[in-house]
Amino acid sequence: MAATEDYPVVGSYNNQRVSEIDAERSVNCFEYIDPLGKKPRTLINTSGLIDTELDYGSTFAFRAQFVFEEFEYSVVGDRVYRRDVNNVVTQLNSSGPPNTILTTATGYVSMDANTFQVIIVDGAKGYIYDTLANTFVVITDPSFPTSPIDVCTLDGFFVVANGNTPDFQLSSLNQGLVWGPVGGGGASN
């Protein structure tokens, strides 16, 4: 049987037989080449072609953007913003009380959503924006990972990777403020 070989086409990642070809649509992306990366070529989103001249009130760079329902959520420095279809920008976190400003102002941020909550992790803490109650809070459950470096959603559960370990943690179903027992899952469990 002949060995399979990927075509030199860049697309979104999907673990298929020919892993660099995907039916997903990629819009407003540019190719980034990292010869030391897991995949040497990848696509990175751009913010678009129209300058809307929106003021996010910060000199920090955008760290993450995520679209959920009819809103775009952005992390700029240590602030979290929501933009609606009319380009109205609202800051979601505040210096308090309670203080919900992110503990980091630079570095990687990951976001995802379940049916009504947007979760943000910045490597130091996790945060939940409840779209129904319009509240932004820090996740304080003791079972939440101590070094949350990435997040995804799986059938209504948030899955957070715990940095510097092979472990991850699962939230309760559609509830990002409640987390399972300490040491949820991973290679060391």
Side-chain angles (χ1 to χ4, degrees):
M1 184 167 153
T4 61
E5 182 177 328
D6 284 346
Y7 293 97
V9 176
V10 178
S12 56
Y13 178 74
N14 194 344
N15 192 13
Q16 299 295 322
R17 186 171 173 188
V18 180
S19 59
E20 290 193 32
I21 297 177
D22 195 322
E24 294 178 8
R25 186 172 175 220
S26 301
V27 177
N28 285 348
C29 296
F30 66 92
E31 182 180 15
Y32 178 77
I33 298 174
D34 180 5
L36 300 178
K38 180 177 178 181
K39 294 282 228 176
R41 296 165 43 190
T42 188
L43 293 179
I44 296 179
N45 295 352
T46 63
S47 296
L49 301 175
I50 299 172
D51 184 2
T52 57
E53 298 181 14
L54 295 175
D55 181 14
Y56 284 86
S58 176
T59 58
F60 286 103
F62 276 72
R63 299 171 65 192
Q65 290 178 294
F66 178 73
V67 176
F68 178 62
E69 294 179 348
E70 295 183 11
F71 297 99
E72 176 189 70
Y73 296 87
S74 302
V75 176
V76 183
D78 58 1
R79 313 289 183 188
V80 179
Y81 298 94
R82 181 184 70 192
R83 181 174 68 126
D84 66 18
V85 294
N86 297 315
N87 286 331
V88 174
V89 177
T90 306
Q91 184 176 335
L92 299 178
N93 60 346
S94 69
S95 56
N99 184 353
T100 56
I101 298 298
L102 274 60
T103 54
T104 63
T106 60
Y108 180 75
V109 171
S110 181
M111 292 192 276
D112 210 333
N114 60 21
T115 56
F116 68 98
Q117 295 174 320
V118 176
I119 186 171
I120 300 167
V121 297
D122 67 355
K125 290 188 179 179
Y127 309 84
I128 292 286
Y129 175 66
D130 187 317
T131 62
L132 301 177
N134 196 29
T135 56
F136 189 93
V137 296
V138 178
I139 300 171
T140 58
D141 190 305
S143 294
F144 188 74
T146 56
S147 181
I149 59 169
D150 209 350
V151 64
C152 68
T153 304
L154 178 66
D155 294 333
F157 295 91
F158 288 124
V159 182
V160 173
N162 194 8
N164 300 319
T165 74
D167 299 335
F168 61 89
Q169 190 68 35
L170 291 174
S171 71
S172 292
L173 179 63
N174 288 322
Q175 182 47 267
L177 294 173
V178 179
W179 293 78
V182 175
S188 63
N189 292 333

